Amino acid sequence: MRTFFPSDSCKESQLNAINPQSWLQVERGKLSKLSSSHTNSSSIESFIKVPEPPILPFFKPIDYVEVLAQIHEEMESCSPQERSTLYLLQFQIFRGLGETKLMRRSLRSAWQRARTVREKLVFGAWLRYEKQGEELIADLLATCNKCAQEFGPVDVSHLQVEVNGCSKETVVMNGDKSLKNVNFKIGDEIIVCDRQKIASLSAPFHAMLNGYFTESSSEDIDLSENNISPLGMRTIGEFSITGSLSEVHPDLLLEILVFSNKFCCERLKDACDRKLASLVCTKDDAVEFMEYAIEQNSPVLAASCLQVFLHELPDCLNDERVVEIFSHADRQQRSIMVGQASFSLYCLLSEVAMNLDPRSDKTVCFLEQLIESAETDREKLLAFHQLGCVRLLRKEYDEAEGLFEKAVSLGHVYSIAGLARLGYIKGHKLCSYEKLSSVISSVNPLGWMYQERSLYCEGDKRSEDLEKATKLDPTLTYPYMYRAASLMMKQNVQAALAEINRVLGFKLALECMELRFCLYLAIEDYKAAIRDVQAILTLSPDYRMFEGRVAASHLRTLVREHVGSWTTADCWMQLYDRWSSVDDIGSLSVIYQMLESGGAKGVLYFRQSLLLLRLNCPDAAMRSLELARRHASSEHERLVYEGWILYDTGHCEEGLRKAEESIKISRSFEAFFLKAYALADSSLDSSCSSTVISLLENALKCPSDNLRKGQALNNLGSVLVDCGKLDSAADCYINALKIRHTRAHQGLARVHFLKNDKATAYVEMTKLIEKAKNNASAYEKRSEYCDRDLTKADLEMVTRIDPLRVYPYRYRAAVLMDSRKEKEAIAELSRAIAFKADLHLLHLRAAFHEHVGDVLAALRDCRAALSVDPNHQEMLELHSRVNSHEP
């Protein structure tokens, strides 16, 4: 889900309820003075609120590895028609894990494996929806003569519809064979038709004209009472001869469609269906024609209308006519509209509706349709759980309880969290605690279980549960936020900031940034507060704080009054200092301020995108790149930004082409840098290294600031190291350090290591650790340059700073395996796999399982790993080997 799924308060009178006076002060532009000299815990409590963690509307199995493996196994033996649905389930698992890239890859696989036109429509629309705002990429690819297929329309005429012709053998011939024509009388007009051609249109016509009916021996037949106009009948007569419909008005086509249905003229109906489908262009067309498509069982027309609706997501769901069509379709109508892809369609519509407003009636209607469309237990439990979450938000507690119970009965243990929350709302706090305790004691516990149970206890018990939650799943933000707020209540400011900084060191969660902003406001550290709110606005320009009540931009305006203004020179100095100290959030804040004061916006937005990529915020980075393109001061600058947009979205060759176009116009630093970067990535030929070196040297000859030149020198050093030119590489790194490109310490350390000077390499990395604000990667790299004890210490520090980095777990597991502590080694990998679906962790654990002879566990991990990366060669080889040993 794009939007934060809001949570309801367990109790209206909970301890951290917000003080209305604080809201009034904020909204009137008056910031409360909460300095430590006169701050008490109640005033802080009214200002700093930590909302309870929401019950997420996601599929969250107890052992996602097992479920991924099951899905992969089913894919190996299922029919091609079933694969798209399995990829959709895989998508749902990755969504529950928060793995955005893997989600999109599963969705793309579902689209690629779709065997029907309707599935193509649904998954293509879903991909477009997930890539909202990326239409520019399709346009840029078009300038490189390349098409982005998922953004294009689907040809619904390829929809296969079974058309039955007239079965003449079943009708006894009794007509007057001397009658070649038949005269159809409609009102005062006579339409002359070829008798046998009309008879061939359907079994009813054949029986009428050639069987024992009176009409079989009549030359004149009155059709005035059959709702067909003379022009319509004339068109039908022409169709009976030519087999095609010429240019016909839509109203006439609808008339013929109804007639063809009445007289079972399948070929005629199919021709009308397809002709009408080609005429659907707008949403209004689709609304009008969908009614006829459903009434007349016209699947091609229905598919064409559906394509128009889905192409306009999410906006079309603001049209009540469209919502009505989707909300009230029965089983047969869904079949006409979307065939066997009903569950996939309502999965998509439900997600879009929840993102628009999870409490809305249309969200409920779509989820009810999802339940009706579900066929397997996995589909049903997902649908029950999602509707349960929505009913909970709407305070429809009895309905929510029934839905969560159904999800639990189908095996979705996470839905017990919903039942526990409902129990607490109804005053059964102890029962809620016991529910979670029962789950924890019966399965391998996960972090969310302890987090949820912490809501139903107090004091030390709550603290212990939250610590366990963090240990089992460090990605959960609520425990850090609760601890930070609690420490602040005790007026332990530094400890509170340290706690929230723990999570912000590896996960840039907006709710955590907001809490830190509030902490800084409470102690009147306005410089730090303005830094955080400007970083928040960079990540999400429309972000609203305090549960959506106040725009972050408004708070920024208020805080700005308490901070001195910077000149342009001051801003560049501040940016230089923060960039050099690897303070990415600080750098973002400075750039935000520089953009507000004018200047070369294209360049600044580009720098902003580089920082956002470093902070693992690809969507925000792409938005900044697009803004850089929009504000480019020249054509050659715009081409560079277009090149980066293409490169960052996986279109490396096209990005390279844009760089070359830019260089033809003007030899600039950024154009040469882009070309070198893209060429180094796109070519596996080691001979291209000399070209990359030449390009970077050309870049360094062009005007640029030291921030970018330092990066170019660092990259040049890296290429020279790969070419074995260690002295030249060292010179590059030293020159980069002279202009304060701090990351060059890492490259220089590598040179020392390759010269067999491990001690100096260690010292060099220590310098980086001391200078860099974000230094988890530096500790990890330094661990390569010391003995085992120091390595272990450094990697423990890495895990403490950034528990999402997987190398430390792998290293520790390998050491344990070398010490023949197989169980401990597997356990070390398992604790990381529990919260991170990582190929390398799964690969290593599969190898360990194979080593100890646990073939089934090895096969499970192989299959799960191939769900993460289906083309990983070593994983494929291990899977093949293990699979051959399966009992």
Side-chain angles (χ1 to χ4, degrees):
M1 306 268 160
R2 278 179 177 74
T3 54
F4 176 74
F5 207 80
S7 65
D8 272 340
S9 296
C10 281
K11 291 283 183 183
E12 294 297 328
S13 59
Q14 60 183 320
L15 275 174
N16 55 7
I18 207 77
N19 183 337
Q21 279 305 116
S22 297
W23 293 121
L24 293 173
Q25 289 174 337
V26 169
E27 288 163 0
R28 291 173 187 153
K30 299 174 184 175
L31 288 171
S32 302
K33 297 292 184 179
L34 299 172
S35 62
S36 57
S37 61
H38 60 271
T39 298
N40 57 52
S41 61
S42 61
S43 63
I44 295 176
E45 187 179 328
S46 68
F47 191 66
I48 297 170
K49 182 178 181 182
V50 178
E52 293 147 2
I55 306 297
L56 299 170
F58 301 149
F59 182 23
K60 294 173 77 69
I62 288 292
D63 186 351
Y64 76 86
V65 174
E66 183 67 38
V67 180
L68 283 176
Q70 289 170 3
I71 292 171
H72 190 274
E73 185 178 11
E74 289 171 32
M75 284 181 187
E76 291 173 344
S77 57
C78 73
S79 66
Q81 290 76 17
E82 296 174 290
R83 286 214 176 121
S84 287
T85 305
L86 290 170
Y87 276 114
L88 175 56
L89 286 169
Q90 191 184 80
F91 162 86
Q92 299 290 358
I93 293 168
F94 288 137
R95 186 171 69 165
L97 291 166
E99 297 285 356
T100 305
K101 287 184 180 178
L102 297 179
M103 284 164 53
R104 285 195 177 180
R105 207 217 47 233
S106 294
L107 209 51
R108 188 173 179 81
S109 295
W111 174 71
Q112 289 171 332
R113 304 302 196 286
R115 286 292 179 269
T116 68
V117 168
R118 281 118 151 197
E119 284 182 325
K120 280 280 185 190
L121 284 178
V122 172
F123 290 118
W126 206 330
L127 278 172
R128 279 196 306 275
Y129 176 70
E130 288 290 325
K131 294 183 175 184
Q132 281 181 91
E134 293 185 22
E135 291 81 0
L136 173 62
I137 297 163
D139 296 339
L140 293 179
L141 287 172
T143 66
C144 301
N145 300 316
K146 188 174 179 180
C147 176
Q149 292 180 341
E150 63 268 37
F151 286 102
V154 175
D155 186 353
V156 296
S157 67
H158 291 150
L159 181 63
Q160 297 298 312
V161 179
E162 188 176 341
V163 178
N164 297 316
C166 172
S167 180
K168 298 179 183 178
E169 293 78 4
T170 63
V171 180
V172 178
M173 300 292 288
N174 191 49
D176 187 340
K177 295 179 182 178
S178 66
L179 299 176
K180 182 181 179 183
N181 292 331
V182 60
N183 302 323
F184 289 114
K185 183 182 178 183
I186 300 173
D188 296 331
E189 293 193 43
I190 300 293
I191 296 89
V192 181
C193 298
D194 186 303
R195 192 179 194 89
Q196 295 309 315
K197 293 292 186 183
I198 293 293
S200 70
L201 287 177
S202 71
F205 268 129
H206 192 271
M208 177 196 292
L209 299 175
N210 294 324
Y212 287 101
F213 292 94
T214 305
E215 290 87 349
S216 64
S217 56
S218 301
E219 189 172 2
D220 300 316
I221 298 175
D222 192 343
L223 287 182
S224 298
E225 302 300 321
N226 286 280
N227 297 319
I228 189 72
S229 66
L231 181 57
M233 196 64 221
R234 197 169 288 115
T235 304
I236 292 169
E238 290 172 7
F239 176 83
S240 70
I241 295 168
T242 65
S244 63
L245 292 166
S246 55
E247 295 301 317
V248 182
H249 191 275
D251 289 343
L252 190 59
L253 282 170
L254 289 170
E255 180 185 307
I256 295 169
L257 177 64
V258 174
F259 181 87
S260 66
N261 244 343
K262 182 175 182 178
F263 285 91
C264 304
C265 304
E266 295 295 333
R267 285 188 299 112
L268 177 60
K269 177 190 170 185
D270 186 61
C272 283
D273 193 4
R274 294 177 188 280
K275 191 75 174 177
L276 283 165
S278 69
L279 301 176
V280 181
C281 299
T282 68
K283 183 178 66 178
D284 288 336
D285 292 339
V287 168
E288 180 184 354
F289 284 127
M290 183 63 93
E291 182 181 349
Y292 285 99
I294 290 173
E295 283 181 1
Q296 302 302 321
N297 190 10
S298 302
V300 183
L301 177 57
S304 185
C305 296
L306 179 65
Q307 175 158 235
V308 171
F309 292 150
L310 296 183
H311 190 75
E312 294 190 21
L313 285 175
D315 294 340
C316 76
L317 294 190
N318 293 319
D319 188 324
E320 287 303 319
R321 299 171 302 166
V322 177
V323 173
E324 182 78 14
I325 289 168
F326 287 132
S327 297
H328 296 100
D330 60 26
R331 187 180 186 87
Q332 183 181 357
Q333 291 168 341
R334 290 195 302 267
S335 178
I336 294 166
M337 187 163 52
V338 73
Q340 298 300 308
S342 181
F343 183 79
S344 304
L345 171 64
Y346 283 98
C347 264
L348 168 59
L349 294 176
S350 300
E351 176 162 336
V352 177
M354 279 193 274
N355 287 336
L356 290 171
D357 180 3
R359 294 180 173 87
S360 68
D361 290 342
K362 65 187 164 203
T363 301
V364 172
C365 288
F366 292 158
L367 285 168
E368 287 174 340
Q369 289 280 26
L370 185 66
I371 289 171
E372 289 186 23
S373 303
E375 295 181 357
T376 67
D377 284 352
R378 283 189 296 224
E379 290 175 349
K380 289 175 183 176
L381 69 83
L382 171 65
F384 285 134
H385 177 75
Q386 288 191 326
L387 185 52
C389 290
V390 170
R391 295 286 191 195
L392 174 61
L393 279 180
R394 288 161 60 100
K395 302 186 188 300
E396 297 166 355
Y397 298 136
D398 291 339
E399 295 91 335
E401 186 173 20
L403 290 159
F404 285 136
E405 284 174 349
K406 288 178 181 177
V408 171
S409 71
L410 290 167
H412 195 233
V413 176
Y414 179 62
S415 295
I416 290 175
L419 291 173
R421 198 71 64 94
L422 284 165
Y424 187 37
I425 290 168
K426 294 177 179 181
H428 308 306
K429 183 176 178 180
L430 180 59
C431 182
S432 296
Y433 183 87
E434 289 172 349
K435 267 187 187 357
L436 270 302
S437 297
S438 176
V439 173
I440 288 168
S441 64
S442 60
V443 297
N444 283 331
L446 298 172
W448 67 260
M449 298 173 186
Y450 284 105
Q451 174 179 273
E452 187 66 25
R453 194 174 72 170
S454 74
L455 302 176
Y456 315 125
C457 53
E458 304 294 338
D460 291 343
K461 279 188 175 181
R462 174 173 282 195
S463 298
E464 287 170 11
D465 273 359
L466 289 174
E467 285 298 338
K468 287 175 184 174
T470 299
K471 185 177 180 181
L472 290 170
D473 186 353
T475 67
L476 296 171
T477 57
Y478 174 77
Y480 301 96
M481 294 173 69
Y482 180 85
R483 286 190 293 262
S486 297
L487 288 164
M488 196 66 181
M489 302 300 177
K490 298 172 184 175
Q491 301 188 44
N492 194 341
V493 177
Q494 294 309 312
L497 288 169
E499 183 61 31
I500 202 63
N501 286 337
R502 278 177 66 194
V503 64
L504 286 171
F506 65 90
K507 186 174 183 177
L508 205 57
L510 290 174
E511 64 269 24
C512 296
M513 289 283 288
E514 178 181 346
L515 178 59
R516 192 170 72 175
F517 167 79
C518 291
L519 297 179
Y520 283 128
L521 277 190
I523 61 172
E524 297 184 345
D525 187 345
Y526 297 123
K527 287 184 179 179
I530 197 78
R531 177 201 63 199
D532 280 356
V533 75
Q534 289 180 165
I536 287 170
L537 288 166
T538 300
L539 292 162
S540 180
D542 300 322
Y543 189 77
R544 299 184 69 82
M545 293 186 171
F546 302 123
E547 297 185 312
R549 301 192 196 187
V550 187
S553 56
H554 179 54
L555 285 170
R556 188 242 175 207
T557 302
L558 301 179
V559 177
R560 191 80 186 85
E561 297 174 7
H562 298 265
V563 181
S565 58
W566 289 343
T567 65
T568 301
D570 290 333
C571 285
W572 276 107
M573 286 297 296
Q574 291 290 336
L575 179 60
Y576 198 54
D577 287 343
R578 283 161 174 71
W579 202 288
S580 299
S581 62
V582 198
D583 177 6
D584 296 332
I585 292 176
S587 299
L588 278 181
S589 177
V590 175
I591 289 176
Y592 184 94
Q593 194 157 325
M594 294 171 80
L595 283 165
E596 192 179 63
S597 59
K601 289 197 172 184
V603 172
L604 290 171
Y605 278 123
F606 177 58
R607 300 295 170 85
Q608 191 181 78
S609 74
L610 297 175
L611 288 165
L612 289 165
L613 278 177
R614 211 149 74 188
L615 288 164
N616 195 28
C617 302
D619 291 340
M622 184 56 61
R623 183 175 63 244
S624 295
L625 262 181
E626 290 176 4
L627 287 168
R629 175 184 179 270
R630 195 181 305 164
H631 290 89
S633 60
S634 63
E635 184 182 358
H636 70 83
E637 184 184 342
R638 176 180 57 79
L639 286 166
V640 168
Y641 302 145
E642 289 179 354
W644 280 114
I645 289 169
L646 290 166
Y647 175 83
D648 286 344
T649 52
H651 305 286
C652 191
E653 290 182 13
E654 290 73 24
L656 190 59
R657 198 180 308 173
K658 292 287 184 182
E660 290 166 348
E661 289 177 33
S662 180
I663 290 169
K664 286 178 184 177
I665 298 171
S666 177
R667 294 167 61 88
S668 70
F669 173 91
E670 292 297 352
F672 279 119
F673 189 92
L674 169 60
K675 186 175 179 182
Y677 205 93
L679 186 62
D681 190 43
S682 63
S683 176
L684 297 175
D685 186 358
S686 58
S687 63
C688 84
S689 295
S690 58
T691 307
V692 173
I693 290 169
S694 175
L695 288 167
L696 288 171
E697 287 173 344
N698 283 330
L700 288 164
K701 292 173 186 174
C702 298
S704 186
D705 59 73
N706 284 343
L707 293 176
R708 293 298 283 155
K709 288 204 170 184
Q711 183 66 63
L713 284 166
N714 196 60
N715 287 17
L716 179 56
S718 180
V719 179
L720 289 167
V721 167
D722 291 340
C723 294
K725 300 177 181 179
L726 300 183
D727 290 337
S728 298
D731 289 340
C732 285
Y733 292 128
I734 290 167
N735 288 332
L737 288 169
K738 285 178 181 176
I739 53 176
R740 295 176 64 192
H741 186 77
T742 309
R743 292 176 187 270
H745 283 296
Q746 183 166 320
L748 191 55
R750 186 182 173 203
V751 170
H752 290 310
F753 177 72
L754 292 172
K755 288 183 174 182
N756 296 317
D757 190 352
K758 204 186 221 187
T760 306
Y762 183 89
V763 170
E764 200 66 42
M765 287 307 302
T766 303
K767 293 177 184 176
L768 176 55
I769 288 168
E770 290 169 351
K771 292 180 183 179
K773 191 174 181 68
N774 302 320
N775 55 17
S777 62
Y779 275 108
E780 186 173 299
K781 197 66 186 174
R782 190 177 72 170
S783 72
E784 298 176 21
Y785 307 138
C786 49
D787 59 37
R788 179 170 282 194
D789 288 341
L790 288 175
T791 295
K792 185 179 178 183
D794 273 357
L795 293 179
E796 287 294 345
M797 179 62 76
V798 173
T799 301
R800 200 173 307 139
I801 298 171
D802 184 355
L804 298 183
R805 299 185 77 90
V806 301
Y807 173 73
Y809 301 99
R810 293 166 60 209
Y811 177 87
R812 288 189 291 265
V815 170
L816 288 165
M817 203 67 178
D818 286 344
S819 304
R820 298 186 179 180
K821 296 179 180 178
E822 291 91 349
K823 287 184 180 180
E824 292 88 341
I826 290 170
E828 178 65 24
L829 295 173
S830 297
R831 79 178 173 113
I833 289 170
F835 59 83
K836 186 170 178 63
D838 180 79
L839 171 76
H840 303 291
L841 293 171
L842 287 165
H843 185 186
L844 190 57
R845 193 172 74 170
F848 285 180
H849 282 310
E850 182 195 31
H851 178 75
V852 299
D854 191 343
V855 175
L856 291 178
L859 189 58
R860 176 204 61 203
D861 284 353
C862 285
R863 285 171 172 155
L866 288 172
S867 300
V868 174
D869 184 355
N871 301 312
H872 191 269
Q873 192 56 43
E874 289 182 24
M875 201 68 248
L876 287 166
E877 291 170 4
L878 179 58
H879 175 253
S880 177
R881 187 170 70 244
V882 172
N883 205 19
S884 66
H885 296 145
E886 185 182 9

